[in-house]
Amino acid sequence: MVAAPDIQVTKVQHSKIKDVDFGHLPFGKFFTDHMLVAKYDNRKWESVEIKPYQSLSLDPSLTALHYGQSIFEGIKAYKDEHGEVFIFRPYDNFKRFNTSAARMNMPEVPEEIFMEGMRELIRIDRDWIPAEKDHSLYIRPFMFATDAMLGVHPSDTYLFIIILSPTGPYYPRPLKIVVEEKYTRAAPGGVGFAKNAGNYGGSLLASTEAQKQGYDQVLWTDAFEHKWLQEVGTMNVFFVIDNKAVTPSLDEGTILDGVTRKSVITILNEMNVPVEERHVHVDELVKAYQEGRLQEVFGTGTAATIASIQTVKYQDHVLEFSEKDWILSMEVKKRLDAIRLHQAPDTHEWMFKV
Ligand SMILES: *Cc1c(COP(=O)(O)O)cnc(C)c1O
């Protein structure tokens, strides 16, 4: 264990928890009473503070706004039936955060600030963690450049912040997705593997256009041919073909290395379901569907956990699935939920006690 950093704590006078309807929690809309703020300057992390959740005062020339040095993570904490609080695999998010930081030429956040700061913040706001089914506390760590200067340069100063949001189910309905053939999310050598804000900025037009056609999200493809499948919006993607689970491999650096993705791979291995991490061509998918060998398609991510996919559209092909098809994905979800809620043994030490 790492020593807790020197955190200055200022608590709210009055909690706003009573103003929140825990029966109606749209994703990422309500925030807890406190936040953690760490400041980087003079080549080191100078201060760590937990204080009332509040607005920030920022200079209009803030580098992050102009040139996009901005990264984030998404993590969930759960309360078990005994009221104990656990975070799901936060160490993996911590490592990925620093991988994103390195790619975006930003400083690393030390383990004691990220992990112990998060733990301390959650302890303070623990009453905000909902205990209902499919509910959790969404944790959003993020970091951005704060130099006040318009010259293009890696910033010398940064803020690392953690905010917390009680949340209900993310995708209550199965999704309809469309294979993207015009826009590109990520190319080799780019920043697709980093969880940086700009990846989302560049993706929004594609999802808006998909929504105009009646779809929820796009299935991203490679930059060159728009044939090789990558991932879906905020999620990694799995295809079940011939009783095998197939998911696009991470080797080109164009896909986010999801914590849920790797947890699902581990669970599938335990279920003795063969898993193939490899390149997946859209024609293979269509052919497998036509031959009745494509059994199910699902997305994985922290916000959504496992999202069933009802429709995949590619050109004139409409691949349809229904509740009776989501066998493997529902079994995986059940097993993952059981570990998260402490109803099954945590054999992989995924749960980090707060
Ligand atoms: C965060 C994210 C995912 C899912 O990663 P998890 O660690 O499972 O939450 C997948 N794709 C993209 C683009 C993401 O930003």
Side-chain angles (χ1 to χ4, degrees):
M1 230 185 73
V2 186
D6 202 2
I7 304 179
Q8 188 195 326
V9 178
T10 312
K11 292 198 184 164
V12 293
Q13 301 275 335
H14 301 286
S15 172
K16 54 187 190 219
I17 195 165
K18 293 206 172 60
D19 303 338
V20 176
D21 174 5
F22 277 72
H24 179 68
L25 292 171
F27 179 76
K29 182 146 192 240
F30 299 108
F31 298 95
T32 65
D33 287 323
H34 300 91
M35 63 185 190
L36 177 134
V37 180
K39 283 192 178 141
Y40 184 90
D41 197 359
N42 298 312
R43 295 171 188 275
K44 61 179 192 300
W45 289 96
E46 298 212 305
S47 64
V48 189
E49 229 185 315
I50 290 177
K51 58 185 181 183
Y53 183 95
Q54 59 192 268
S55 314
L56 304 169
S57 172
L58 300 168
D59 198 283
S61 66
L62 192 87
T63 4
L65 295 176
H66 298 271
Y67 307 124
Q69 272 185 302
S70 178
I71 61 171
F72 65 97
E73 269 304 327
I75 310 174
K76 276 180 174 175
Y78 300 83
K79 203 178 258 177
D80 74 8
E81 56 186 326
H82 309 294
E84 291 214 72
V85 176
F86 293 86
I87 313 175
F88 185 72
R89 304 191 75 170
Y91 198 77
D92 295 77
N93 296 88
F94 159 66
K95 283 188 286 186
R96 186 172 69 192
F97 191 77
N98 281 338
T99 301
S100 300
R103 177 63 184 84
M104 300 303 287
N105 207 347
M106 299 164 88
E108 291 199 347
V109 174
E111 184 175 340
E112 64 271 21
I113 295 179
F114 192 103
M115 298 293 289
E116 296 306 318
M118 175 166 62
R119 176 185 251 162
E120 189 56 35
L121 178 65
I122 291 177
R123 278 187 184 144
I124 291 173
D125 281 339
R126 60 169 294 135
D127 290 347
W128 286 83
I129 308 173
E132 291 79 18
K133 184 174 186 293
D134 287 333
H135 287 59
S136 57
L137 185 73
Y138 184 78
I139 306 165
R140 169 55 61 91
F142 59 108
M143 171 165 62
F144 58 93
T146 55
D147 277 7
M149 188 168 129
L150 291 182
V152 176
H153 70 289
S155 183
D156 290 324
T157 61
Y158 296 86
L159 280 179
F160 170 69
I161 300 180
I162 306 179
I163 54 177
L164 308 173
S165 176
T167 174
Y170 188 62
Y171 288 123
R173 298 175 293 111
L175 297 179
K176 295 182 176 183
I177 62 175
V178 53
V179 175
E180 181 59 55
E181 292 189 89
K182 178 175 171 193
Y183 300 111
T184 298
R185 176 184 172 276
V191 293
F193 66 91
K195 217 167 168 82
N196 73 310
N199 282 342
Y200 281 90
S203 77
L204 298 174
L205 183 60
S207 37
T208 299
E209 290 185 7
Q211 280 153 18
K212 281 187 195 146
Q213 299 178 54
Y215 293 87
D216 300 293
Q217 269 299 344
V218 301
L219 176 49
W220 291 108
T221 52
D222 71 287
F224 308 106
E225 301 174 64
H226 288 299
K227 297 276 186 205
W228 299 94
L229 307 173
Q230 294 181 336
E231 57 179 317
V232 181
T234 61
M235 297 185 293
N236 294 114
V237 68
F238 285 77
F239 310 102
V240 183
I241 305 172
D242 291 327
N243 296 315
K244 282 186 266 195
V246 180
T247 189
S249 47
L250 306 173
D251 53 354
E252 291 187 323
T254 51
I255 295 173
L256 208 283
D257 180 5
V259 177
T260 319
R261 175 184 182 277
K262 61 182 166 189
S263 307
V264 166
I265 291 173
T266 301
I267 290 174
L268 288 167
N269 284 330
E270 286 174 349
M271 291 165 62
N272 293 319
V273 175
V275 180
E276 294 178 1
E277 289 182 71
R278 60 171 170 83
H279 296 188
V280 189
H281 196 282
V282 67
D283 291 347
E284 176 190 353
L285 206 67
V286 171
K287 187 162 183 283
Y289 180 81
Q290 288 167 342
E291 295 171 358
R293 296 183 295 109
L294 177 61
Q295 295 152 281
E296 49 188 308
V297 181
F298 59 96
T300 67
T302 295
T305 315
I306 306 265
S308 304
I309 294 173
Q310 175 184 334
T311 307
V312 182
K313 182 177 181 294
Y314 172 63
Q315 297 177 351
D316 295 335
H317 307 285
V318 182
L319 288 41
E320 306 250 34
F321 303 87
S322 65
E323 198 160 348
K324 65 173 183 359
D325 300 314
W326 300 316
I327 300 165
L328 207 54
S329 50
M330 288 304 109
E331 180 60 26
V332 172
K333 182 175 191 310
K334 208 174 87 189
R335 291 183 185 222
L336 203 50
D337 284 346
I339 296 171
R340 287 172 161 173
L341 297 174
H342 260 200
Q343 291 158 355
D346 178 22
T347 47
H348 308 286
E349 297 183 10
W350 284 346
M351 305 308 288
F352 177 90
K353 193 167 189 301
V354 167

